[in-house]
Amino acid sequence: MNESSKINDILKNSLFKGIGQFLFPTDFYSITNNMTLKDVDYLLPYHSHIEVSTTIEVLEYLENVKTNNLIIDENGSITYQELLTFSKKIGSGLGKFVKNNDPVPIYMEKGIKALEVFMGALYAGGFYSLLNVGLPKMRLEQIIGVLDVDYIITDNEYLEAAKEFFSDKKIILYEDLIKEKIDEELLSNIRRKKVDLDPVYANFTSGSTGVPKGVIVGNRSIIDFVDNFVDTFGIDSTDVIANQAPFDFDVSVKDIYPALKTGATLVIVPKELFSNPAKLIDFLVENNITTMTWAVSALCLITTFHGLDYKVPTTVKRIMFSGEVMPMKHLNSWMEHLPDAMFVNLYGPTEITCNCTYHIIDRNRKYEKIPIGIPFNNEAVFLLNDKNELVNNELEKGEICVRGTALALGYYKNKEQTEKAFVRNPLNDKYIEYIYRTGDLGYYQNNELYFGGRKDFQIKYMGHRIELEEIDKAIGSFEGVLRVCSIFREEKSKLYAFYIGDMEPKELHEKLSKELPIFMIPSKFIKVEEMPLSKNGKIDRKKLEELI
């Protein structure tokens, strides 16, 4: 299919649903005659669905579930109707003191109970933020410091740890909240104050200042993304969705909310199975999994240990991956074992609500590199150069920018960082319109959009976006470390830390593990006598890379 045919096919199937339905065919073709695929990327968000969503809050997903399907974790299962009841109980308890649009920090393991508290926090008029129980104390203190409330929700399993880590906070037990009586009048009064821009959750990402940033995402953004996500990939109530991602990681949003939207079965995979590929495969087979939206590293774990040669989860219909570049040999292994399944490369940072582009893998194509694809409905993805001009030339790199309803609300209580990333659209001087500057570089090749690395010192590692400066700051704070420079080798997917100091690598690793999450710990610590410098006096990263 030539470029002109592609453009007409895309626009007839999407733009015609919006403004196109009011055009005569001759007008349509005169408008599109001189367009390129890059123009289509920018124009597509102006289309709309024939059926316009009237959903204002994500709670309506839960309230409208009609199926008898289950949410399953390692401790049991509940129906969506039971989830609704328990969430209202928790909401009635929290609603007595949680203020409108205030955070509700939750220190619990991911699972059914956490989901009940998530929805309960929304019924109470607040938004939720899960504090991963695997995080070190210093990180937890930083996050709770940003959220700045005097309470935290936990359960009996983590009560003692919560007392230790949050000694100055009022600790509220899940087991007490679940005993509350539903106060419909209170819940109704709270709902009357809500609008679709109100926040739903805050997920924390690495910050260059050393303090993590809380990306806050609202109802409207989630609804816009999830409705399109479900429609694009055909997810429905017959599906069985396998959740791999932690609940403080935005990949889990693509499990939780499509399940709520469709009433599909949601299976929360026990995290210990990811250290045993054979048992993990058994679990997928036994639960008749159809949908896997997983991190690249989790998928590669199975193929690295030849799990698919042991057994194939033949019920799987679609596998979607994001966060890192998928190695072709691992993708090919999955595709060979699941010849009828759909495979999709997803791209997008947390700040635009999960993903903004997708590329469905073509089994008849030989890929050297997988494109990041085309925008989801109602999202525009385009490239800007250093002069804030639209990039159109093949192979010319520009910063990937996004506009549309799915943009996050910003960084919680962090005006400075929000204003750096969420900016006025330089291509629009007619009215106020915000875009998100991803910091990622992209380029067009054969009219397809590709990821072209990072613009700054932020990297993508183990599915997470990490600021190298934050790692350097943590290592540099240790007594005995004089200077440090972290480097990421994308082709090896390895993180290295070069340092000058007396501390031995093993000791440095142990100390850093108490301050940063495991995904921010370098693969290797390399002690050097001095840092090589460039002509302008900065650390010469290229010369350090030669030492690897």
Side-chain angles (χ1 to χ4, degrees), residues 58-65 223 226-227 257 260-261:
V58 294
L59 286 175
E60 294 175 54
Y61 284 160
L62 173 58
E63 293 163 349
N64 292 330
V65 173
I223 292 164
V226 170
D227 283 3
Y257 287 98
L260 290 174
K261 161 78 175 173

Side-chain angles (χ1 to χ4, degrees), residues 3 33 101 118 147 184 316 328 342 386 402 430 492:
E3 182 170 342
N33 188 47
N101 293 331
F118 286 3
L147 295 175
E184 292 288 2
V316 172
M328 285 308 303
M342 174 196 295
D386 292 338
V402 186
K430 299 175 181 64
K492 294 183 177 181

Side-chain angles (χ1 to χ4, degrees), residues 293-308:
T293 307
W294 285 21
V296 168
S297 55
L299 293 169
C300 291
L301 171 75
I302 291 175
T303 46
T304 296
F305 292 97
H306 306 286
L308 297 174

Side-chain angles (χ1 to χ4, degrees), residues 80 200 209 316 335:
Y80 284 96
V200 172
T209 61
V316 172
M335 292 175 67

Side-chain angles (χ1 to χ4, degrees), residues 13-14 16-18 21 47-53 231 377:
N13 288 322
S14 49
F16 255 178
K17 295 178 183 177
Q21 62 185 311
H47 74 197
S48 62
H49 297 292
I50 295 174
E51 295 181 8
V52 179
S53 174
D231 290 347
N377 286 348

Side-chain angles (χ1 to χ4, degrees), residues 84 138 311 445 523:
L84 177 60
M138 181 177 174
K311 194 179 289 184
Q445 185 172 6
S523 314

Side-chain angles (χ1 to χ4, degrees), residues 79-367:
T79 65
Y80 284 96
Q81 290 71 30
E82 289 171 324
L83 174 61
L84 177 60
T85 298
F86 296 144
S87 300
K88 284 187 171 184
K89 285 175 175 281
I90 292 169
S92 297
L94 294 176
K96 296 172 184 177
F97 61 88
V98 171
K99 296 177 182 177
N100 191 43
N101 293 331
D102 263 7
V104 178
I106 302 163
Y107 185 66
M108 297 171 66
E109 186 59 83
K110 76 169 186 175
I112 290 171
K113 291 191 294 185
L115 285 179
E116 292 169 2
V117 182
F118 286 3
M119 298 299 111
L122 299 181
Y123 272 113
F127 66 90
Y128 62 84
S129 185
L130 185 77
L131 280 64
N132 194 309
V133 296
L135 291 176
K137 183 178 180 180
M138 181 177 174
R139 190 74 167 187
L140 292 170
E141 289 174 345
Q142 289 175 325
I143 293 173
I144 204 72
V146 173
L147 295 175
D148 191 25
V149 289
D150 60 5
Y151 52 83
I152 189 162
I153 317 301
T154 190
D155 58 8
N156 280 323
E157 183 179 358
Y158 290 98
L159 177 58
E160 293 306 314
K163 287 179 179 178
E164 177 187 349
F165 294 151
F166 315 108
S167 58
D168 61 335
K169 304 297 178 187
K170 179 182 178 182
I171 296 175
I172 301 165
L173 279 175
Y174 161 86
E175 286 79 5
D176 291 334
L177 288 171
I178 209 71
K179 295 174 185 175
E180 293 278 349
K181 290 183 179 180
I182 296 175
D183 187 338
E184 292 288 2
E185 183 179 359
L186 172 65
L187 299 181
S188 179
N189 288 336
I190 290 170
R191 289 290 281 278
R192 276 196 287 269
K193 301 175 185 175
K194 307 306 289 181
V195 298
D196 63 354
L197 283 173
D198 286 343
V200 172
Y201 65 81
N203 281 343
F204 282 80
T205 66
S206 177
S208 59
T209 61
V211 178
K213 298 178 294 189
V215 182
I216 188 164
V217 180
N219 281 280
R220 190 165 75 174
S221 298
I222 298 170
I223 292 164
D224 182 71
F225 173 75
V226 170
D227 283 3
N228 283 313
F229 188 80
V230 166
D231 290 347
T232 300
F233 303 119
I235 300 169
D236 61 31
S237 61
T238 65
D239 278 303
V240 183
I241 300 170
N243 160 254
Q244 168 263 321
F247 280 1
D248 60 334
F249 191 23
D250 75 340
V251 176
S252 67
V253 172
K254 293 174 282 189
D255 301 323
I256 295 169
Y257 287 98
L260 290 174
K261 161 78 175 173
T262 63
T265 300
L266 176 62
V267 181
I268 300 166
V269 184
K271 63 181 182 180
E272 58 269 18
L273 292 184
F274 290 94
S275 59
N276 191 325
K279 287 187 177 179
L280 177 57
I281 287 290
D282 285 336
F283 184 88
L284 299 177
V285 171
E286 289 164 7
N287 285 279
N288 297 310
I289 299 302
T290 67
T291 303
M292 298 165 61
T293 307
W294 285 21
V296 168
S297 55
L299 293 169
C300 291
L301 171 75
I302 291 175
T303 46
T304 296
F305 292 97
H306 306 286
L308 297 174
D309 293 333
Y310 159 66
K311 194 179 289 184
V312 178
T314 55
T315 55
V316 172
K317 296 192 293 187
R318 59 185 74 81
I319 292 180
M320 294 170 277
F321 47 88
S322 60
E324 298 172 86
V325 176
M326 172 61 109
M328 285 308 303
K329 66 177 182 180
H330 291 277
L331 176 58
N332 288 335
S333 179
W334 275 101
M335 292 175 67
E336 287 167 9
H337 286 89
L338 292 170
D340 298 320
M342 174 196 295
F343 290 83
V344 185
N345 183 32
L346 300 169
Y347 164 80
T350 297
E351 287 86 347
I352 52 80
T353 313
C354 301
N355 301 116
C356 54
T357 67
Y358 67 96
H359 175 79
I360 298 173
I361 302 300
D362 181 353
R363 289 178 175 272
N364 297 316
R365 175 177 173 179
K366 289 186 177 181
Y367 290 90

